[in-house]
Amino acid sequence: MTKITPDHLARSAFVYVRQSTAMQVTHNLESQRRQYSLADRARQLGWENVEVIDDDLGRSGGGVRRRGFERLLAAICEGRVGAVLSVEASRLARNGRDWHTLLEFCGLVGTIIVDEDGVYDPASPNDRLLLGMKGTMSEMELSVFRQRSIEAMKQKARRGELFLTVAVGYVKSGLDKIEKDPDRRVQEAIALVFRKFNELQTIRQVLVWLRQEKIPLPALTVGDAPDRIIWRAPVYPTVHHILTNPVYAGAYAFGRRTMRVVIENGRKRVVRSMQRDWRCWSVLIQDHHEGYIPWADFERNQNLIADNANGKRFMSRSSIRRGEALLAGLLRCARCGRKLHVRYSDGAARYQCVGAFNQVAAAKCIIFSGNRPDRMVSRLSLIHI
Protein backbone atom coordinates (compact mmCIF):
# COMPACT_ATOMS: atom_id res chain seq x y z
CA MET A 1 0.00 0.00 0.00
CA THR A 2 3.06 2.31 0.02
CA LYS A 3 2.34 3.06 -3.63
CA ILE A 4 -0.57 5.26 -2.48
CA THR A 5 0.86 8.73 -1.83
CA PRO A 6 -0.71 11.94 -0.49
CA ASP A 7 -0.73 13.23 -4.07
CA HIS A 8 -2.97 10.32 -5.11
CA LEU A 9 -5.29 10.89 -2.16
CA ALA A 10 -5.56 14.61 -2.96
CA ARG A 11 -7.18 13.69 -6.25
CA SER A 12 -10.36 11.64 -6.80
CA ALA A 13 -10.69 7.89 -6.95
CA PHE A 14 -12.71 6.65 -9.95
CA VAL A 15 -14.56 3.34 -9.77
CA TYR A 16 -15.16 1.89 -13.23
CA VAL A 17 -18.18 -0.45 -13.44
CA ARG A 18 -18.84 -2.50 -16.56
CA GLN A 19 -20.67 -5.64 -17.64
CA SER A 20 -20.41 -6.99 -21.17
CA THR A 21 -24.03 -7.77 -22.06
CA ALA A 22 -27.55 -6.67 -21.19
CA MET A 23 -28.26 -10.17 -19.90
CA GLN A 24 -25.43 -9.85 -17.38
CA VAL A 25 -26.80 -6.49 -16.27
CA THR A 26 -30.22 -8.05 -15.68
CA HIS A 27 -29.25 -11.36 -14.11
CA ASN A 28 -25.67 -11.16 -12.81
CA LEU A 29 -26.40 -8.77 -9.95
CA GLU A 30 -23.63 -10.09 -7.71
CA SER A 31 -21.03 -8.80 -10.14
CA GLN A 32 -22.64 -5.37 -9.99
CA ARG A 33 -22.62 -5.40 -6.20
CA ARG A 34 -18.92 -6.37 -6.16
CA GLN A 35 -18.02 -3.55 -8.51
CA TYR A 36 -20.08 -0.88 -6.77
CA SER A 37 -18.62 -1.94 -3.40
CA LEU A 38 -15.21 -0.78 -4.64
CA ALA A 39 -16.32 2.73 -3.71
CA ASP A 40 -16.27 1.67 -0.04
CA ARG A 41 -12.82 0.15 -0.49
CA ALA A 42 -11.54 3.42 -1.97
CA ARG A 43 -12.75 5.28 1.12
CA GLN A 44 -11.07 2.69 3.35
CA LEU A 45 -7.81 3.31 1.50
CA GLY A 46 -8.05 7.03 2.30
CA TRP A 47 -9.88 8.72 -0.56
CA GLU A 48 -12.57 11.22 0.34
CA ASN A 49 -13.73 12.00 -3.20
CA VAL A 50 -14.95 8.87 -4.99
CA GLU A 51 -16.71 8.92 -8.35
CA VAL A 52 -18.44 5.92 -9.97
CA ILE A 53 -18.57 5.58 -13.74
CA ASP A 54 -21.20 3.04 -14.79
CA ASP A 55 -22.11 4.34 -18.26
CA ASP A 56 -20.79 1.14 -19.88
CA LEU A 57 -23.11 -1.38 -18.24
CA GLY A 58 -24.13 -3.78 -20.99
CA ARG A 59 -21.26 -2.81 -23.31
CA SER A 60 -18.46 -5.06 -24.48
CA GLY A 61 -14.87 -4.08 -23.77
CA GLY A 62 -13.70 -5.52 -27.07
CA GLY A 63 -13.12 -2.29 -28.98
CA VAL A 64 -16.54 -0.72 -29.46
CA ARG A 65 -17.11 2.85 -28.35
CA ARG A 66 -17.64 3.17 -24.60
CA ARG A 67 -18.71 6.57 -23.33
CA GLY A 68 -17.84 5.73 -19.74
CA PHE A 69 -14.32 4.65 -20.66
CA GLU A 70 -13.88 7.86 -22.68
CA ARG A 71 -15.01 9.89 -19.65
CA LEU A 72 -12.44 8.06 -17.55
CA LEU A 73 -9.62 8.79 -20.00
CA ALA A 74 -10.64 12.44 -20.18
CA ALA A 75 -10.58 12.76 -16.38
CA ILE A 76 -7.16 11.09 -16.25
CA CYS A 77 -5.76 13.50 -18.84
CA GLU A 78 -7.10 16.44 -16.83
CA GLY A 79 -5.13 15.22 -13.80
CA ARG A 80 -8.23 14.71 -11.65
CA VAL A 81 -7.79 10.98 -11.08
CA GLY A 82 -5.56 9.64 -8.33
CA ALA A 83 -6.63 5.99 -8.72
CA VAL A 84 -8.76 3.85 -11.00
CA LEU A 85 -10.49 0.96 -9.22
CA SER A 86 -11.86 -2.14 -10.91
CA VAL A 87 -12.69 -5.66 -9.72
CA GLU A 88 -10.00 -6.99 -12.03
CA ALA A 89 -7.60 -4.65 -13.82
CA SER A 90 -7.99 -6.21 -17.26
CA ARG A 91 -11.77 -5.64 -17.08
CA LEU A 92 -11.07 -1.99 -17.83
CA ALA A 93 -10.45 -2.94 -21.47
CA ARG A 94 -10.50 -6.16 -23.49
CA ASN A 95 -8.47 -4.94 -26.46
CA GLY A 96 -4.86 -3.88 -26.73
CA ARG A 97 -5.55 -0.40 -28.06
CA ASP A 98 -7.70 0.76 -25.14
CA TRP A 99 -5.64 -1.09 -22.54
CA HIS A 100 -2.27 0.37 -23.51
CA THR A 101 -3.78 3.82 -24.01
CA LEU A 102 -5.05 3.66 -20.43
CA LEU A 103 -1.67 2.53 -19.11
CA GLU A 104 0.14 5.25 -21.05
CA PHE A 105 -2.09 8.03 -19.74
CA CYS A 106 -1.98 6.75 -16.16
CA GLY A 107 1.81 6.53 -16.29
CA LEU A 108 2.16 10.08 -17.61
CA VAL A 109 -0.03 11.79 -15.00
CA GLY A 110 0.79 9.53 -12.04
CA THR A 111 -2.50 7.67 -11.67
CA ILE A 112 -2.43 4.25 -10.02
CA ILE A 113 -4.65 1.26 -10.81
CA VAL A 114 -6.27 -0.74 -7.99
CA ASP A 115 -8.02 -4.09 -8.25
CA GLU A 116 -8.78 -6.93 -5.84
CA ASP A 117 -5.26 -8.33 -6.26
CA GLY A 118 -3.31 -5.21 -5.45
CA VAL A 119 -2.15 -1.71 -6.35
CA TYR A 120 -0.25 -1.03 -9.58
CA ASP A 121 1.74 2.00 -10.65
CA PRO A 122 1.88 2.19 -14.47
CA ALA A 123 4.90 4.48 -14.18
CA SER A 124 6.86 1.59 -12.62
CA PRO A 125 8.49 -0.72 -15.21
CA ASN A 126 7.71 -3.84 -13.20
CA ASP A 127 4.07 -2.92 -12.66
CA ARG A 128 3.77 -1.84 -16.29
CA LEU A 129 5.07 -5.25 -17.39
CA LEU A 130 2.64 -7.08 -15.12
CA LEU A 131 -0.31 -4.98 -16.29
CA GLY A 132 0.69 -5.51 -19.92
CA MET A 133 0.74 -9.28 -19.42
CA LYS A 134 -2.66 -9.17 -17.71
CA GLY A 135 -4.14 -7.25 -20.60
CA THR A 136 -2.66 -9.62 -23.20
CA MET A 137 -3.92 -12.70 -21.36
CA SER A 138 -7.37 -11.16 -20.95
CA GLU A 139 -7.60 -10.34 -24.67
CA MET A 140 -6.49 -13.86 -25.59
CA GLU A 141 -8.93 -15.40 -23.12
CA LEU A 142 -11.81 -13.42 -24.60
CA SER A 143 -10.88 -14.47 -28.16
CA VAL A 144 -10.71 -18.16 -27.20
CA PHE A 145 -14.07 -18.06 -25.41
CA ARG A 146 -15.69 -16.29 -28.35
CA GLN A 147 -14.27 -18.75 -30.87
CA ARG A 148 -15.40 -21.75 -28.83
CA SER A 149 -18.91 -20.44 -28.36
CA ILE A 150 -19.32 -19.53 -32.04
CA GLU A 151 -18.14 -22.93 -33.23
CA ALA A 152 -20.45 -24.67 -30.75
CA MET A 153 -23.38 -22.61 -32.01
CA LYS A 154 -22.56 -23.40 -35.64
CA GLN A 155 -22.31 -27.12 -34.92
CA LYS A 156 -25.68 -27.12 -33.19
CA ALA A 157 -27.19 -25.05 -36.00
CA ARG A 158 -26.04 -27.58 -38.61
CA ARG A 159 -28.24 -30.12 -36.84
CA GLY A 160 -31.15 -27.66 -36.81
CA GLU A 161 -31.23 -27.58 -33.01
CA LEU A 162 -30.12 -24.02 -32.20
CA PHE A 163 -32.99 -21.73 -31.20
CA LEU A 164 -31.91 -18.41 -29.73
CA THR A 165 -35.45 -17.11 -30.18
CA VAL A 166 -38.68 -18.71 -31.36
CA ALA A 167 -40.83 -16.80 -33.85
CA VAL A 168 -44.38 -15.92 -32.89
CA GLY A 169 -46.67 -18.73 -34.02
CA TYR A 170 -44.32 -21.41 -32.70
CA VAL A 171 -43.33 -22.77 -29.31
CA LYS A 172 -40.44 -24.92 -28.18
CA SER A 173 -41.07 -28.64 -27.94
CA GLY A 174 -38.30 -30.04 -25.79
CA LEU A 175 -34.83 -28.51 -26.00
CA ASP A 176 -34.15 -28.69 -29.72
CA LYS A 177 -37.51 -28.75 -31.55
CA ILE A 178 -40.35 -26.37 -32.28
CA GLU A 179 -43.99 -26.86 -33.15
CA LYS A 180 -46.96 -24.67 -33.99
CA ASP A 181 -48.42 -22.63 -31.17
CA PRO A 182 -51.46 -24.57 -29.85
CA ASP A 183 -53.39 -21.29 -29.62
CA ARG A 184 -55.76 -21.44 -32.60
CA ARG A 185 -56.17 -17.67 -32.64
CA VAL A 186 -52.42 -17.22 -33.14
CA GLN A 187 -52.36 -19.81 -35.93
CA GLU A 188 -55.28 -18.20 -37.73
CA ALA A 189 -53.74 -14.72 -37.51
CA ILE A 190 -50.46 -15.91 -39.08
CA ALA A 191 -52.29 -17.84 -41.79
CA LEU A 192 -54.44 -14.78 -42.54
CA VAL A 193 -51.35 -12.70 -43.35
CA PHE A 194 -50.22 -15.24 -45.94
CA ARG A 195 -53.68 -15.51 -47.48
CA LYS A 196 -54.03 -11.77 -47.85
CA PHE A 197 -50.55 -11.44 -49.36
CA ASN A 198 -51.43 -14.12 -51.89
CA GLU A 199 -54.48 -12.03 -52.74
CA LEU A 200 -53.11 -8.47 -52.60
CA GLN A 201 -49.51 -9.17 -53.73
CA THR A 202 -47.79 -6.41 -51.68
CA ILE A 203 -46.82 -6.08 -48.03
CA ARG A 204 -48.18 -2.57 -47.79
CA GLN A 205 -51.60 -3.55 -49.11
CA VAL A 206 -51.77 -6.35 -46.56
CA LEU A 207 -50.93 -3.80 -43.85
CA VAL A 208 -53.58 -1.38 -45.12
CA TRP A 209 -56.24 -4.10 -45.13
CA LEU A 210 -55.35 -5.26 -41.61
CA ARG A 211 -55.46 -1.71 -40.27
CA GLN A 212 -58.76 -0.96 -41.99
CA GLU A 213 -60.35 -4.13 -40.64
CA LYS A 214 -58.84 -3.44 -37.17
CA ILE A 215 -57.31 -6.92 -37.02
CA PRO A 216 -54.48 -7.18 -34.46
CA LEU A 217 -51.49 -9.48 -34.86
CA PRO A 218 -49.73 -11.50 -32.16
CA ALA A 219 -46.35 -10.45 -30.84
CA LEU A 220 -43.97 -11.90 -28.27
CA THR A 221 -43.62 -10.07 -24.98
CA VAL A 222 -40.23 -8.93 -23.72
CA GLY A 223 -39.02 -9.80 -20.25
CA ASP A 224 -40.88 -11.73 -17.58
CA ALA A 225 -44.43 -10.75 -18.51
CA PRO A 226 -47.08 -13.26 -17.38
CA ASP A 227 -48.56 -13.56 -20.90
CA ARG A 228 -46.19 -14.78 -23.59
CA ILE A 229 -48.30 -13.35 -26.42
CA ILE A 230 -49.72 -9.86 -26.71
CA TRP A 231 -52.04 -8.56 -29.43
CA ARG A 232 -51.47 -5.18 -31.02
CA ALA A 233 -52.22 -3.25 -34.17
CA PRO A 234 -49.95 -4.36 -37.03
CA VAL A 235 -47.06 -2.25 -38.29
CA TYR A 236 -45.02 -2.69 -41.43
CA PRO A 237 -41.98 -4.46 -39.83
CA THR A 238 -44.28 -7.06 -38.22
CA VAL A 239 -45.98 -7.97 -41.49
CA HIS A 240 -42.66 -7.93 -43.35
CA HIS A 241 -41.08 -10.26 -40.78
CA ILE A 242 -43.87 -12.80 -41.07
CA LEU A 243 -43.74 -12.85 -44.86
CA THR A 244 -39.94 -13.09 -45.14
CA ASN A 245 -39.10 -15.47 -42.29
CA PRO A 246 -38.41 -19.02 -43.63
CA VAL A 247 -39.53 -20.56 -40.34
CA TYR A 248 -43.15 -20.16 -41.50
CA ALA A 249 -42.33 -22.31 -44.54
CA GLY A 250 -41.23 -25.17 -42.28
CA ALA A 251 -37.52 -24.46 -42.81
CA TYR A 252 -34.70 -24.04 -40.33
CA ALA A 253 -32.30 -21.25 -41.31
CA PHE A 254 -29.07 -20.02 -39.74
CA GLY A 255 -26.67 -17.40 -41.01
CA ARG A 256 -29.21 -15.19 -42.75
CA ARG A 257 -27.35 -12.11 -41.57
CA THR A 258 -23.86 -11.13 -42.62
CA MET A 259 -21.45 -9.24 -40.39
CA ARG A 260 -18.46 -7.15 -41.30
CA VAL A 261 -16.25 -4.89 -39.22
CA VAL A 262 -15.30 -1.40 -40.37
CA ILE A 263 -13.11 1.23 -38.72
CA GLU A 264 -14.79 4.58 -38.01
CA ASN A 265 -13.03 7.34 -36.07
CA GLY A 266 -10.46 4.87 -34.81
CA ARG A 267 -13.12 2.48 -33.47
CA LYS A 268 -14.53 -0.70 -34.84
CA ARG A 269 -18.17 -0.76 -35.90
CA VAL A 270 -20.02 -3.95 -36.67
CA VAL A 271 -22.28 -3.68 -39.72
CA ARG A 272 -24.98 -6.34 -40.03
CA SER A 273 -27.14 -6.89 -43.07
CA MET A 274 -29.72 -9.45 -44.19
CA GLN A 275 -28.94 -11.83 -47.05
CA ARG A 276 -32.05 -12.08 -49.17
CA ASP A 277 -30.81 -14.95 -51.34
CA TRP A 278 -31.49 -18.16 -49.39
CA ARG A 279 -28.73 -19.93 -51.35
CA CYS A 280 -26.16 -17.87 -49.41
CA TRP A 281 -27.39 -18.83 -45.94
CA SER A 282 -25.02 -20.87 -43.79
CA VAL A 283 -27.63 -23.49 -42.90
CA LEU A 284 -30.98 -24.22 -44.54
CA ILE A 285 -32.94 -27.35 -43.62
CA GLN A 286 -36.24 -27.65 -45.43
CA ASP A 287 -39.13 -29.70 -44.00
CA HIS A 288 -37.63 -29.21 -40.56
CA HIS A 289 -41.00 -28.66 -38.84
CA GLU A 290 -44.63 -28.04 -39.72
CA GLY A 291 -44.98 -24.81 -41.68
CA TYR A 292 -47.79 -22.39 -42.39
CA ILE A 293 -47.05 -22.38 -46.14
CA PRO A 294 -45.11 -24.71 -48.50
CA TRP A 295 -41.52 -23.84 -49.42
CA ALA A 296 -42.55 -23.21 -53.04
CA ASP A 297 -44.96 -20.49 -51.86
CA PHE A 298 -42.22 -18.95 -49.74
CA GLU A 299 -39.89 -18.70 -52.76
CA ARG A 300 -42.67 -17.16 -54.84
CA ASN A 301 -43.38 -14.62 -52.10
CA GLN A 302 -39.71 -13.60 -51.84
CA ASN A 303 -39.44 -13.10 -55.59
CA LEU A 304 -42.59 -10.97 -55.54
CA ILE A 305 -41.36 -8.87 -52.60
CA ALA A 306 -38.01 -8.36 -54.34
CA ASP A 307 -39.74 -7.28 -57.56
CA ASN A 308 -41.88 -4.81 -55.61
CA ALA A 309 -38.78 -3.36 -53.92
CA ASN A 310 -36.96 -3.03 -57.24
CA GLY A 311 -39.96 -1.20 -58.65
CA LYS A 312 -39.92 1.25 -55.74
CA ARG A 313 -36.20 1.96 -56.21
CA PHE A 314 -36.73 2.56 -59.91
CA MET A 315 -39.57 4.99 -59.23
CA SER A 316 -37.60 6.85 -56.59
CA ARG A 317 -34.66 7.33 -58.93
CA SER A 318 -36.83 8.69 -61.73
CA SER A 319 -38.95 10.86 -59.43
CA ILE A 320 -36.24 13.51 -59.00
CA ARG A 321 -36.65 16.21 -61.64
CA ARG A 322 -34.90 19.60 -61.81
CA GLY A 323 -32.98 20.82 -58.79
CA GLU A 324 -33.11 19.83 -55.14
CA ALA A 325 -35.01 21.22 -52.18
CA LEU A 326 -32.98 23.60 -50.05
CA LEU A 327 -34.12 22.12 -46.71
CA ALA A 328 -33.98 18.44 -47.63
CA GLY A 329 -33.16 16.37 -44.55
CA LEU A 330 -33.39 19.35 -42.17
CA LEU A 331 -37.11 19.60 -41.38
CA ARG A 332 -39.08 17.42 -38.97
CA CYS A 333 -42.80 16.84 -38.59
CA ALA A 334 -44.36 18.88 -35.77
CA ARG A 335 -46.82 16.05 -35.04
CA CYS A 336 -44.70 12.88 -34.90
CA GLY A 337 -41.13 14.20 -34.95
CA ARG A 338 -40.04 12.20 -38.01
CA LYS A 339 -37.90 13.73 -40.75
CA LEU A 340 -39.79 15.20 -43.69
CA HIS A 341 -39.18 13.69 -47.11
CA VAL A 342 -39.02 15.61 -50.35
CA ARG A 343 -41.14 14.81 -53.37
CA TYR A 344 -40.65 16.48 -56.75
CA SER A 345 -43.52 17.07 -59.13
CA ASP A 346 -43.08 19.08 -62.35
CA GLY A 347 -39.89 20.56 -60.99
CA ALA A 348 -41.48 21.76 -57.74
CA ALA A 349 -40.52 20.36 -54.35
CA ARG A 350 -43.05 19.34 -51.71
CA TYR A 351 -42.17 18.43 -48.13
CA GLN A 352 -44.16 15.58 -46.62
CA CYS A 353 -44.14 13.28 -43.58
CA VAL A 354 -44.45 9.65 -44.67
CA GLY A 355 -43.37 7.91 -41.45
CA ALA A 356 -46.85 6.97 -40.22
CA PHE A 357 -47.91 6.37 -43.83
CA ASN A 358 -45.22 3.72 -44.28
CA GLN A 359 -45.27 2.14 -40.83
CA VAL A 360 -48.95 1.95 -39.94
CA ALA A 361 -50.69 2.83 -43.23
CA ALA A 362 -52.09 6.00 -41.70
CA ALA A 363 -52.69 9.28 -43.50
CA LYS A 364 -49.67 11.49 -44.03
CA CYS A 365 -49.16 13.87 -41.12
CA ILE A 366 -48.36 16.90 -43.23
CA ILE A 367 -47.54 17.91 -46.80
CA PHE A 368 -46.80 21.40 -48.13
CA SER A 369 -45.07 23.18 -50.99
CA GLY A 370 -41.37 23.84 -50.59
CA ASN A 371 -41.29 27.11 -52.58
CA ARG A 372 -42.18 29.51 -49.77
CA PRO A 373 -39.89 28.10 -46.97
CA ASP A 374 -37.00 27.74 -49.43
CA ARG A 375 -37.33 31.36 -50.58
CA MET A 376 -37.56 32.57 -46.98
CA VAL A 377 -34.41 30.71 -45.94
CA SER A 378 -32.59 31.95 -49.04
CA ARG A 379 -33.42 35.59 -48.22
CA LEU A 380 -32.33 35.20 -44.58
CA SER A 381 -29.08 33.58 -45.68
CA LEU A 382 -28.31 36.44 -48.05
CA ILE A 383 -29.05 39.02 -45.36
CA HIS A 384 -26.50 37.49 -42.96
CA ILE A 385 -23.76 37.03 -45.53
Side-chain angles (χ1 to χ4, degrees):
M1 296 303 175
T2 56
K3 296 176 183 177
I4 302 177
T5 66
D7 177 63
H8 295 137
L9 297 176
R11 292 179 274 174
S12 300
F14 277 64
V15 177
Y16 182 74
V17 178
R18 182 182 69 83
Q19 289 179 293
S20 300
T21 64
M23 183 174 293
Q24 291 179 357
V25 175
T26 303
H27 300 288
N28 193 358
L29 300 180
E30 287 302 321
S31 175
Q32 287 186 40
R33 295 188 183 100
R34 286 181 61 200
Q35 295 184 63
Y36 281 114
S37 67
L38 291 173
D40 295 331
R41 186 186 178 199
R43 295 185 181 93
Q44 292 173 0
L45 293 175
W47 274 278
E48 295 182 359
N49 299 322
V50 180
E51 296 187 31
V52 177
I53 296 180
D54 55 4
D55 301 356
D56 296 335
L57 283 173
R59 288 187 174 270
S60 170
V64 298
R65 183 179 181 184
R66 293 178 289 154
R67 298 187 183 278
F69 187 76
E70 293 174 358
R71 279 183 54 203
L72 176 63
L73 290 180
I76 292 173
C77 294
E78 293 169 1
R80 297 190 292 112
V81 184
V84 178
L85 286 85
S86 178
V87 170
E88 204 278 317
S90 63
R91 291 287 298 172
L92 292 165
R94 287 300 185 101
N95 70 91
R97 176 186 183 276
D98 287 349
W99 179 242
H100 290 287
T101 299
L102 175 68
L103 296 186
E104 184 70 21
F105 288 175
C106 288
L108 290 174
V109 301
T111 298
I112 60 176
I113 296 176
V114 183
D115 66 7
E116 291 186 337
D117 294 330
V119 180
Y120 310 92
D121 182 3
S124 168
N126 288 335
D127 285 3
R128 183 70 171 264
L129 176 62
L130 179 58
L131 289 171
M133 293 176 61
K134 277 195 168 190
T136 301
M137 293 176 63
S138 175
E139 188 175 13
M140 182 61 183
E141 178 187 41
L142 183 64
S143 299
V144 171
F145 285 165
R146 182 184 294 113
Q147 183 178 4
R148 287 177 180 175
S149 61
I150 291 176
E151 290 303 319
M153 290 173 60
K154 288 182 178 179
Q155 183 174 348
K156 193 170 184 179
R158 295 187 191 104
R159 302 194 303 266
E161 299 175 354
L162 178 66
F163 294 100
L164 301 178
T165 58
V166 180
V168 63
Y170 287 95
V171 294
K172 272 193 175 183
S173 174
L175 297 177
D176 52 10
K177 294 182 180 180
I178 61 173
E179 61 183 18
K180 281 187 175 181
D181 194 315
D183 190 333
R184 295 294 299 176
R185 185 187 178 194
V186 174
Q187 292 188 27
E188 291 172 358
I190 300 295
L192 176 62
V193 173
F194 288 104
R195 289 199 305 272
K196 296 308 296 185
F197 182 79
N198 188 49
E199 174 187 343
L200 302 174
Q201 302 290 292
T202 70
I203 298 178
R204 173 166 172 76
Q205 289 303 314
V206 174
L207 175 63
V208 170
W209 183 85
L210 292 171
R211 301 284 297 199
Q212 289 177 346
E213 299 296 326
K214 295 182 172 55
I215 299 177
L217 291 180
L220 297 176
T221 57
V222 179
D224 301 327
D227 296 327
R228 191 181 66 90
I229 297 292
I230 59 174
W231 294 85
R232 58 190 182 193
V235 293
Y236 187 90
T238 301
V239 180
H240 183 275
H241 173 75
I242 293 175
L243 291 169
T244 57
N245 194 335
V247 70
Y248 297 107
Y252 177 90
F254 179 81
R256 297 170 63 202
R257 293 184 178 274
T258 60
M259 183 184 72
R260 60 188 180 90
V261 179
V262 297
I263 305 298
E264 290 186 359
N265 300 322
R267 294 283 182 181
K268 76 173 185 180
R269 185 171 76 90
V270 179
V271 179
R272 293 179 173 85
S273 60
M274 182 72 73
Q275 295 186 102
R276 298 300 181 189
D277 188 356
W278 58 268
R279 300 173 188 83
C280 299
W281 298 344
S282 301
V283 178
L284 177 62
I285 305 175
Q286 298 182 23
D287 300 322
H288 177 268
H289 53 269
E290 184 182 2
Y292 285 82
I293 59 172
W295 178 258
D297 289 356
F298 175 79
E299 287 190 276
R300 182 189 64 82
N301 292 347
Q302 303 319 297
N303 292 332
L304 185 56
I305 292 171
D307 291 341
N308 292 338
N310 290 334
K312 288 180 182 178
R313 285 194 291 269
F314 176 77
M315 291 176 65
S316 64
R317 285 198 299 270
S318 63
S319 63
I320 300 178
R321 299 293 190 263
R322 295 182 295 277
E324 293 184 356
L326 183 62
L327 303 176
L330 300 178
L331 299 180
R332 287 188 175 272
C333 177
R335 298 181 180 179
C336 66
R338 295 183 175 94
K339 280 189 176 182
L340 297 185
H341 291 244
V342 182
R343 181 181 179 183
Y344 295 92
S345 177
D346 298 328
R350 297 177 70 84
Y351 296 102
Q352 58 183 350
C353 176
V354 298
F357 180 78
N358 289 334
Q359 293 293 314
V360 298
K364 296 176 182 177
C365 291
I366 189 172
I367 180 169
F368 57 90
S369 172
N371 293 334
R372 184 176 179 182
D374 283 3
R375 286 198 303 268
M376 184 181 300
V377 172
S378 298
R379 286 198 301 266
L380 292 175
S381 300
L382 292 174
I383 292 173
H384 291 285
I385 291 178

